[in-house]
Amino acid sequence: MPAATENLIERCREIVEDLQMGEVRRWKEQNPGAAAIGYFPVYAPMELIHASGFLPVGLNGAGDRLDLQYADARFGSFICSIVKTTLEMGLTGYLDPLDGLLFSGICDSARNLAFVFQRNFPQKYVDFLHLPQNPSSSASAGFLKAEYLRLAAQLEKLGGRKLADDALRASIAAYNENRALLGDLYALRASNPHQVRTSDLYLLQRAGNFLPVETHNEWLSRALADIADRQAKPRDSVRIVIEGSFCEQPPLDLIRLVEDAGCYVLDDDFLLGRRWFTEDVPAGDDPLGALAESYLDRSVYSSVRHDFRHRRHKLLVEKARRLGADAVLFLIAKFCEPAYFDYVLFKRELEAAQIPHLLLEFEEKAFTFDRLRIEVETFVESLLFD
Amino acid sequence: MSEAPRSEYRGQIHQQQKDLMLRWYERLEESARTGNPPSVELMISGNSIELLEGFGAVPLYPEVNALQLAIRHLSLDPILAAEELGYAADNCAYVKADIGALIRGITPAGTPLPKPALVLCNFVGCNTYVKWFEHAAEFQGVPLAMLDVPFLRTPEPRAEDVDYVVRQLHEIVCQLEQITGRRFDMDRFREAVRCSARVEEAWSRIKHLARRTPSPFDAYFDAITLMGPLYVYRGSPEGVAFFELALKEMEEKAARGEGIYDQEKFRVVLEGPPPYPFFRSFRDMFASWKATAVASTYSTVGGLWEFGFRHDPSRPFESVALHMLAHNVTNRNYLQRYEQIRRYVEEWDADGIVIHFVKSCRLFSAGQGDMRDYFTRQLGVPTLYIESDLEDPRYFSEAQIKNRMDAFFEALEHSRSTGTLRRGAAALRQPAAGAGSAPGAGERLNILP
Ligand code: SF4
Ligand code: SF4
């Protein structure tokens, strides 16, 4: 890979690991009066925040870079890490660059977190979106459009631009491009997994949490051109699909470990909120309506979105088959209730389809991966040599 | 402490409650045998039992089944069976007990339960419900419908929220007509809504009796006994008769100045579901201190009526929607729950709060540490925080909970002897400057702009 791309990925790593959110602070200096709005995974309408002239900032916890001093007492046992580290970041000032925080009902823990934030940070705008879970109803799209309008009005109160169709169309186009670029990178990895390291793709993607989408698009285009030209030799690997990391993110070292232990990752659900539409959002006469309909009809499945017309466990098996995967690796955050519930039906369906799988549990903060490494290696060996 | 005094109320309604619940199981058995009446699986939270009455359908409440299993010490086997299927140690044990029981063919009363005509996921607050019902439909092989109720993120539900729920209710009526082959009976539906309003009035008045000192009943433990009929019979004349009788008995008790002990010593507000596998021992711990729960959030899961909401027969669909949206604890947001508890302390004249953290249930417990911070640091209300589970007997440490409970009530007793224990409105202090990081300390919470 050319040095330029190596440098770019290194730059992305710095951005991702910078708890102080230097990039966000810089953007705010350059855009006085404009607000930065943090959004909790998974399905945040970044287009709307962008169209109001604000910077959407993706929140994905603090990884292993922050000790919990306060949040443990607020959230107690049996709660996943991202909920606690996000609150800890707030209570220790790391979220100061953000003027607002947006949540949605992905799970009960995240939902209560939204309101705990509301109490503890009265100076911030904290909102909660209800994303409809019944796409079969004729009323869902209208409801979601109204919900998005409510959000737009709040952003306007915060000093944002009044929502205008033209601006929204432009934002939708920018994010369509962002998803298309990421989609190309993902497609390239699926067809030539030896050419694209998952940990690189991950960093390139995650840096977008803190960058204006236009900048991120530029970076992704550059990286895509370079990586496509890259020469690398294929090795003996097991071709896997990763499922279960749609919200809390596994440590980077764990992602590397999975690759180093002999897995080619054909697809994953890391940072799902960056590519949650399966197709472009059509930005026609009614862009807001299109955004709402896209959540209902064009959004990627995950354990925190319910669409009984298309069952997730069937979709996972279809995906594994389509990509020619040898196995599915479940990477599930400790205490992530939605992921664990889904595992039951996923497992049943995979077993029926005779697709092997391995379940690994992680926490944001993990210091040693020895046990996980052995598990992955044993799994890989059993698949390669059986 | 000495032997716990017997604390539960036993009047006519005690036996009637048993009979009513037995009849419910008989109807379910009949449905299992003959398909008539049809049954519909439903969640307790903000349940729309009135709609089912419009079809003459019987509700199948898996939560009630799960808690019955736990009370009868039958929950561990099905939980283990579910874990074999891949459920995690930390998944809600209600779900595990229900699915495990389904697979093992275990029922709480030993009588068969029907295969529901429809699994109707009334998504009222708890995200786990959606998973639960998806799995229940899958493992029973029955149709599944979603009734998506927007979470209460503004102080009042928005017109769009109400409209969205009403339109889904209409769609579900059509779906149920197709599935059951029965016509929806609008008159019967309206009548059910009227019955609900009467039950709610009686229930609410019962709850307000607990504002007296002594309280004639326990608004946690005794309330749970009344909750079965509240969910199964709310929309029917049997429900009205039962709750009007209950009100009469409680009023008589109150008029005689009878509490649940010879002398009521402490008045607490309870937050969180009970540990059903150890229901008796848990109750005894309160009884040994002669502590009465004068209010509880758990008893408002199916509906929150003590602050005035009633179903309205002149707008039946809309009022069913409003009930689901705004008038039950599960669909109200977390700060609205703080406010509900604060009002209980103030208006129900309590000495303190007992927060029961339940491992299974993030809906209740995620963030209870912050809740505790609000009440102790900001409002200065004595608060006890204990942990166990509502269904899984492996998570109950009797000695530990008892120690903490004893320490809490000893401290209250001490404050009382030194004259510093305050009750009700006086318990809510105006905090010292700088206490707490929240808005307008000591004031009502400003829920949303
Ligand atoms: S990781 Fe899972 S449990 Fe935690 S906030 Fe995300 S969806 Fe909820
Ligand atoms: S999480 Fe809580 S409210 Fe939800 S089903 Fe379990 S016990 Fe009930």
Side-chain angles (χ1 to χ4, degrees):
Chain A
M1 190 160 30
T5 302
E6 298 285 0
N7 290 342
L8 185 62
I9 290 168
E10 182 51 24
R11 178 84 196 93
C12 288
R13 193 187 56 75
E14 283 167 19
I15 293 174
V16 166
E17 290 183 352
D18 175 15
L19 278 187
Q20 302 284 356
M21 299 192 193
E23 283 301 317
V24 177
R25 290 173 194 268
R26 226 183 327 283
W27 182 88
K28 287 185 71 174
E29 278 160 24
Q30 289 160 2
N31 296 273
I37 307 290
Y39 60 88
F40 201 80
V42 176
Y43 300 99
M46 298 175 283
E47 290 83 348
L48 253 186
I49 301 171
H50 184 263
S52 68
F54 289 171
L55 181 69
V57 178
L59 298 173
N60 283 116
D64 60 0
R65 299 180 298 285
L66 193 60
D67 282 328
L68 296 183
Q69 283 183 60
Y70 308 103
D72 244 344
R74 300 296 174 100
F75 268 85
S77 339
F78 310 112
I79 303 293
C80 65
S81 307
I82 185 174
V83 161
K84 291 184 184 174
T85 57
T86 305
L87 180 61
E88 188 74 26
M89 285 176 80
L91 294 171
T92 48
Y94 288 106
L95 300 183
D96 286 356
L98 306 179
D99 305 276
L101 293 164
L102 189 59
F103 295 85
S104 66
I106 54 168
C107 70
D108 298 331
S109 305
R111 190 199 46 217
N112 287 2
L113 176 67
F115 296 93
V116 167
F117 260 104
Q118 223 170 62
R119 179 177 94 85
N120 286 278
F121 302 91
Q123 71 284 8
K124 281 193 202 299
Y125 159 65
V126 182
D127 208 341
F128 179 89
L129 287 185
H130 184 86
L131 301 176
Q133 300 292 330
N134 180 8
S136 317
S137 169
S138 63
S140 306
F143 167 79
L144 183 54
K145 192 175 165 186
E147 183 68 349
Y148 282 165
L149 274 175
R150 183 179 72 77
L151 171 65
Q154 296 287 346
L155 295 175
E156 198 186 327
K157 267 198 219 161
L158 214 65
R161 285 196 297 257
K162 188 172 175 57
L163 186 66
D165 282 354
D166 279 344
L168 185 56
R169 266 190 290 268
S171 300
I172 287 176
Y175 281 94
N176 278 344
E177 188 189 341
N178 193 258
R179 283 183 292 265
L181 288 164
L182 285 169
D184 287 349
L185 279 163
Y186 267 69
L188 184 62
R189 181 183 57 168
S191 55
N192 301 47
H194 55 287
Q195 247 173 298
V196 189
R197 261 188 82 80
T198 292
S199 49
D200 291 347
L201 175 52
Y202 180 78
L203 287 169
L204 275 169
Q205 184 175 197
R206 186 159 166 182
N209 276 353
F210 306 96
L211 296 169
V213 63
E214 298 79 3
T215 311
H216 194 221
N217 287 347
E218 246 173 65
W219 292 19
L220 290 176
S221 313
R222 265 162 44 202
L224 184 62
D226 281 349
I227 292 174
D229 286 343
R230 193 180 158 197
Q231 301 297 321
K233 259 216 212 89
R235 57 192 168 116
D236 256 0
S237 289
V238 169
R239 299 156 58 86
I240 61 160
V241 163
I242 294 181
E243 179 78 35
S245 308
F246 48 87
C247 179
E248 181 172 321
Q249 296 299 291
L252 189 61
D253 285 341
L254 177 55
I255 298 175
R256 291 203 176 110
L257 177 159
V258 168
E259 292 194 284
D260 293 343
C263 295
Y264 276 153
V265 181
L266 306 182
D267 198 10
D268 60 60
D269 59 359
F270 302 147
L271 303 161
L272 205 57
R274 298 217 64 83
R275 38 202 169 81
W276 57 274
F277 294 118
T278 51
E279 305 162 30
D280 277 357
V281 177
D285 291 343
D286 174 16
L288 193 65
L291 203 58
E293 271 164 28
S294 295
Y295 173 78
L296 297 166
D297 293 331
R298 286 176 207 99
S299 59
V300 66
Y301 81 84
S302 84
S303 297
V304 291
R305 182 184 137 265
H306 299 91
D307 181 350
F308 297 149
R309 301 169 305 180
H310 311 286
R311 308 298 301 278
R312 294 179 298 280
H313 45 287
K314 308 260 182 228
L315 293 172
L316 173 62
V317 167
E318 266 170 35
K319 177 162 71 179
R321 289 221 167 105
R322 190 180 62 241
L323 294 171
D326 303 313
V328 171
L329 174 62
F330 290 95
L331 276 186
I332 298 184
K334 194 168 178 153
F335 304 126
C336 178
E337 183 143 79
Y340 271 112
F341 270 125
D342 275 11
Y343 172 68
V344 175
L345 295 187
F346 282 147
K347 175 173 178 274
R348 223 167 62 128
E349 199 72 18
L350 288 170
E351 281 167 0
Q354 297 190 316
I355 300 174
H357 76 271
L358 174 68
L359 165 63
L360 298 182
E361 181 179 274
F362 67 86
E363 281 183 273
E364 276 189 13
K365 194 173 226 160
F367 297 106
T368 116
F369 297 99
D370 293 346
R371 195 183 48 76
L372 295 181
R373 183 189 317 277
I374 293 170
E375 278 192 60
V376 181
E377 282 170 358
T378 314
F379 184 65
V380 167
E381 273 165 30
S382 74
L383 290 171
L384 281 180
F385 303 113
D386 266 7
Chain B
M1 281 313 294
S2 53
E3 262 290 274
R6 267 203 106 65
S7 51
E8 67 266 61
Y9 171 70
R10 283 175 191 275
Q12 278 188 65
I13 54 166
H14 188 80
Q15 190 52 46
Q16 281 208 9
Q17 184 268 353
K18 279 199 170 144
D19 295 346
L20 282 174
M21 295 313 278
L22 214 66
R23 251 212 328 279
W24 175 51
Y25 277 116
E26 281 165 14
R27 281 190 82 204
L28 286 171
E29 190 186 353
E30 200 184 321
S31 171
R33 258 189 303 114
T34 66
N36 190 11
S39 70
V40 174
E41 193 159 337
L42 207 63
M43 281 296 164
I44 292 288
S45 288
N47 61 76
S48 50
I49 180 76
E50 298 81 7
L51 206 68
L52 266 52
E53 294 284 347
F55 284 98
V58 57
L60 178 65
Y61 286 120
E63 288 150 296
V64 178
N65 294 333
L67 77 85
Q68 292 285 353
L69 288 172
I71 286 196
R72 295 162 198 221
H73 307 289
L74 294 172
S75 61
L76 188 57
D77 260 6
I79 288 174
L80 294 175
E83 287 178 359
E84 273 168 33
L85 288 178
Y87 288 93
D90 307 301
N91 279 136
C92 171
Y94 257 16
V95 183
K96 287 190 281 187
D98 180 54
I99 301 290
L102 205 65
I103 279 162
R104 289 275 168 92
I106 303 170
T107 61
T111 51
L113 291 171
K115 209 177 194 188
L118 179 71
V119 169
L120 174 53
C121 181
N122 46 319
F123 174 35
V124 178
C126 174
N127 280 278
T128 298
Y129 285 167
V130 187
K131 299 294 185 198
W132 189 347
F133 271 31
E134 188 178 10
H135 291 200
E138 185 76 21
F139 286 110
Q140 295 177 97
V142 293
L144 168 66
M146 181 75 172
L147 174 50
D148 176 33
V149 177
F151 191 67
L152 200 53
R153 61 236 179 269
T154 47
E156 297 296 330
R158 312 179 73 225
E160 288 87 352
D161 297 357
V162 181
D163 183 55
Y164 176 40
V165 176
V166 166
R167 282 181 55 184
Q168 291 181 82
L169 288 170
H170 289 155
E171 288 166 353
I172 280 165
V173 164
C174 295
Q175 200 174 353
L176 273 172
E177 283 191 334
Q178 276 170 9
I179 291 176
T180 62
R182 297 182 173 204
R183 297 267 325 150
F184 180 63
D185 185 337
M186 189 64 202
D187 293 335
R188 201 159 159 199
F189 173 50
R190 203 186 293 279
E191 191 48 39
V193 168
R194 188 171 291 120
C195 288
S196 281
R198 285 180 63 185
V199 166
E200 290 155 6
E201 177 63 22
W203 174 237
S204 168
R205 284 169 63 184
I206 292 171
K207 286 211 154 173
H208 279 263
L209 288 174
R211 293 168 69 167
R212 309 207 185 176
T213 305
S215 166
F217 75 109
D218 187 286
Y220 189 62
F221 296 104
D222 290 327
I224 286 167
T225 320
L226 298 179
M227 277 158 67
L230 185 65
Y231 307 142
V232 178
Y233 292 97
R234 190 175 68 245
S236 68
E238 291 105 308
V240 175
F242 175 76
F243 278 94
E244 290 182 348
L245 176 67
L247 174 63
K248 187 168 150 280
E249 286 192 6
M250 291 299 166
E251 276 174 340
E252 286 166 5
K253 219 176 153 217
R256 293 192 300 270
E258 272 174 39
I260 59 177
Y261 311 108
D262 52 354
Q263 186 203 1
E264 174 186 278
K265 279 175 71 182
F266 299 107
R267 300 169 62 84
V268 292
V269 175
L270 253 129
E271 146 76 0
Y276 280 116
F278 298 91
F279 196 68
R280 178 83 252 169
S281 354
F282 195 54
R283 180 163 202 168
D284 286 346
M285 291 182 200
F286 287 87
S288 69
W289 285 95
K290 298 188 179 170
T292 308
V294 291
S296 64
T297 49
Y298 183 62
S299 63
T300 62
V301 164
L304 177 58
W305 291 290
E306 53 264 41
F307 299 133
F309 174 76
R310 303 287 177 266
H311 277 85
D312 178 357
S314 72
R315 315 177 296 158
F317 279 106
E318 234 173 274
S319 67
V320 167
L322 281 171
H323 169 230
M324 301 181 104
L325 279 158
H327 302 286
N328 60 83
V329 70
T330 44
N331 210 53
R332 295 168 72 80
N333 72 51
Y334 208 48
L335 298 184
Q336 289 168 326
R337 185 159 4 133
Y338 292 13
E339 176 62 10
Q340 182 182 342
I341 297 172
R342 195 200 61 76
R343 280 190 69 178
Y344 287 150
V345 172
E346 182 176 335
E347 297 168 30
W348 270 256
D349 240 352
D351 303 304
I353 303 166
V354 177
I355 298 177
H356 181 218
F357 172 102
V358 160
K359 171 186 193 290
S360 273
C361 181
R362 272 102 180 157
L363 174 135
F364 261 102
S365 53
Q368 275 174 334
D370 185 73
M371 173 189 285
R372 188 181 190 202
D373 180 81
Y374 171 67
F375 282 103
T376 53
R377 275 209 315 145
Q378 195 164 330
L379 300 187
V381 181
T383 301
L384 171 68
Y385 183 92
I386 43 179
E387 293 190 21
S388 78
D389 197 61
L390 82 172
E391 182 79 13
D392 192 332
R394 293 170 296 182
Y395 296 94
F396 188 82
S397 160
E398 184 158 355
Q400 200 183 30
I401 294 182
K402 184 155 184 6
N403 281 342
R404 306 208 48 186
M405 197 106 77
D406 287 347
F408 176 69
F409 285 113
E410 268 160 29
L412 289 189
E413 195 156 61
H414 178 76
S415 315
R416 175 163 294 149
S417 69
T418 56
T420 52
L421 185 66
R422 305 203 192 293
R423 187 169 264 186
L428 303 164
R429 74 150 175 245
Q430 295 304 311
S437 44
E443 294 159 14
R444 276 159 203 267
L445 282 165
N446 176 14
I447 306 295
L448 260 187

